[in-house]
Amino acid sequence: MKMHLIAPSVLAADFSCLQKDFDMVNRSQADWYHVDVMDGRFVPNISFGMSIVKAMKKMAAKPLDVHLMIVEPEKYIGEFREAGADVITVHYEACPHLHRTLQQIRETGAKAGVALNPHTPVHLLEDILEQTDLVLLMSVNPGFGGQKFIYQTIPKIKKLKDMIVVQNARTLIEVDGGVGLQNAEKILQAGASVLVAGSSIFGAGNPGKVISMLKSIGREAMMV
Ligand code: DX5
Ligand code: ZN
């Protein structure tokens, strides 16, 4: 198993004291910050926009992985990049001209990601993998943290991994929603390389410990 990345989802952080949670993540073994932007149209919830992303950038010592759950994301890519996004992920379901949108993201210098809702099959990405740095598989319906992991995601990860291997692509597979210590190993074994985790990290008594436990999964096996 190759070394995977951990991306704590700040949606589950304490917004009345973000600096404290960012300090914890900065000191932890986490690799990225996962930043959920919701518009109340693509998903039935509103989170925050670029001014908050900009403030987060100042506090973050690690890359910002910005997940846009918004309609017409192509209108805001430049602004999110300027606000500090290092990875920008748009939803397949929100992009009629996905190829153009991914190009637009790469032109800003950010890594380009595509997210799939639980009902969207991975084979739809067959002709766009080369333009895609990361595929985010939603393992809950987007819009809220703290939901239950949808197990059908596991065969989706495997199928996507096979497609990536066949095409010899370098695309990363990120899994988002309901991820925690109880299922992380299965998700990684299926072929994922980035784990997003919100409530299982920030809801824990010792979040830094959960991050290091998530990070060390598979390592023991590699050492023998
Ligand atoms: C859901 C978001 C997720 C969410 C994950 O729409 O995309 O990133 O914050 O939260 P947990 O880990 O609590 O399911
Ligand atoms: Zn997300």
Side-chain angles (χ1 to χ4, degrees), residues 124-142:
L124 292 172
L125 297 180
E126 210 166 74
D127 296 317
I128 195 78
L129 272 187
E130 216 178 288
Q131 279 73 34
T132 311
D133 297 305
L134 172 150
V135 174
L136 184 162
L137 294 179
M138 283 305 314
S139 41
V140 297
N141 284 296

Side-chain angles (χ1 to χ4, degrees), residues 34 36 67 69 136 138 176 196:
H34 185 77
D36 289 308
H67 177 192
M69 284 163 275
L136 184 162
M138 283 305 314
D176 183 9
V196 175

Side-chain angles (χ1 to χ4, degrees), residues 35-54:
V35 178
D36 289 308
V37 176
M38 304 178 184
D39 66 352
R41 294 185 62 207
F42 182 71
V43 287
N45 194 9
I46 299 177
S47 59
F48 48 79
M50 29 283 205
S51 55
I52 300 290
V53 175
K54 202 171 170 186

Side-chain angles (χ1 to χ4, degrees), residues 171-185:
T171 317
L172 297 175
I173 302 177
E174 178 172 43
V175 177
D176 183 9
V179 176
L181 290 167
Q182 75 289 356
N183 54 17
E185 188 164 11

